Amino acid sequence: MASGLLLGGAIAALVTAAVPAHNPSGGFVDPPPDKIVINVATVNGSGCPAGTAAVAVSEDNTAFTVTYSDYLAKVGGNSDPTAFRKNCQLNLVVHVPSGFTYAIASADYRGFASLQSGASAVQRASYYFQGSSQTAFKTHNFSGAYNDNWQATDTTDWAQLVWAPCGVQRNFNINTEIRVNAGSSSPSKVSFMTMDSTDGDISTVYHMAWQQCPVK
């Protein structure tokens, strides 16, 4: 991915192949030694409109970073009626060495929220492969009054991991969402939630689990 895709922003999303996966037979499967190539097909959504998101792939093509500058949901005051919910979908093409498959085992999300007393917010993420009916959903709830950084961690049990199909190329989708509800708070007061940072130190890390495909 060309470095010219840098469009600004402050929150990062990183996919890494450095985490070994638990094997239900009792051992661990290390990441394959050959190169893992991650290409970002599309980035779109109300939380990452054109010109506000950037995608950069690491030099060895085993990780990618997405930065956002306008991922903010808000209600109250003079907020747009549609601003209460924002989302961003990443569509990834992940090429792995023959004989291996992968899944997202955990993800750490961070941001900032300012919620009035009586207001609430939700951060949600879903993970699925193109053409597959199996989708993993994770939801985190926040209640006002709240005015601080927030962090949410998704972890998936081994039995519930959504694995890439062996021997078939399927794009992988990560769809994130933030939603703010005014609840019983004063309509004149603004509540908001972001998935960005002013200092660039906040990041979202996706850890990939590995498994060997069955031998045919």
Side-chain angles (χ1 to χ4, degrees):
M1 185 68 62
S3 59
L5 285 176
L6 249 329
L7 304 175
I11 183 172
L14 174 68
V15 167
T16 175
V19 179
H22 173 67
N23 188 318
S25 64
F28 286 88
V29 176
D30 291 325
D34 298 333
K35 180 178 288 188
I36 301 116
V37 180
I38 301 170
N39 295 320
V40 181
T42 58
V43 178
N44 59 66
S46 57
C48 51
T52 67
V55 180
V57 177
S58 62
E59 292 185 2
D60 61 2
N61 288 319
T62 63
F64 77 94
T65 300
V66 180
T67 59
Y68 305 101
S69 63
D70 193 27
Y71 204 158
L72 180 149
K74 64 179 180 177
V75 294
N78 61 354
S79 302
D80 188 292
T82 64
F84 75 97
R85 176 187 178 274
K86 294 295 177 71
N87 82 297
C88 186
Q89 178 160 309
L90 308 177
N91 184 272
L92 313 176
V93 182
V94 183
H95 303 276
V96 300
S98 177
F100 284 86
T101 182
Y102 71 95
I104 299 297
S106 67
D108 299 311
Y109 294 95
R110 300 172 187 266
F112 184 85
S114 178
L115 305 175
Q116 301 293 332
S117 178
S120 62
V122 173
Q123 183 272 328
R124 190 185 197 206
S126 62
Y127 313 89
Y128 64 95
F129 289 95
Q130 180 183 17
S132 174
S133 60
Q134 187 179 10
T135 304
F137 292 96
K138 299 291 182 179
T139 301
H140 302 276
N141 298 293
F142 302 86
S143 299
Y146 187 96
N147 189 56
D148 204 350
N149 294 316
W150 61 267
Q151 177 176 344
T153 299
D154 293 347
T155 56
T156 304
D157 293 337
W158 177 267
Q160 302 300 318
L161 289 175
V162 179
W163 294 96
C166 288
V168 181
Q169 181 64 56
R170 291 285 188 270
N171 286 15
F172 185 60
N173 294 276
I174 301 173
N175 192 7
T176 57
E177 172 187 339
I178 52 177
R179 183 189 299 256
V180 181
N181 186 340
S184 61
S185 64
S186 171
S188 65
K189 295 183 178 180
V190 175
S191 292
F192 69 89
M193 185 178 197
T194 73
M195 281 183 67
D196 64 1
S197 168
T198 57
D199 57 18
D201 291 335
I202 292 180
S203 64
T204 300
V205 181
Y206 296 95
H207 299 283
M208 301 175 81
W210 294 96
Q211 179 174 253
Q212 288 182 303
C213 292
V215 179
K216 295 183 179 180

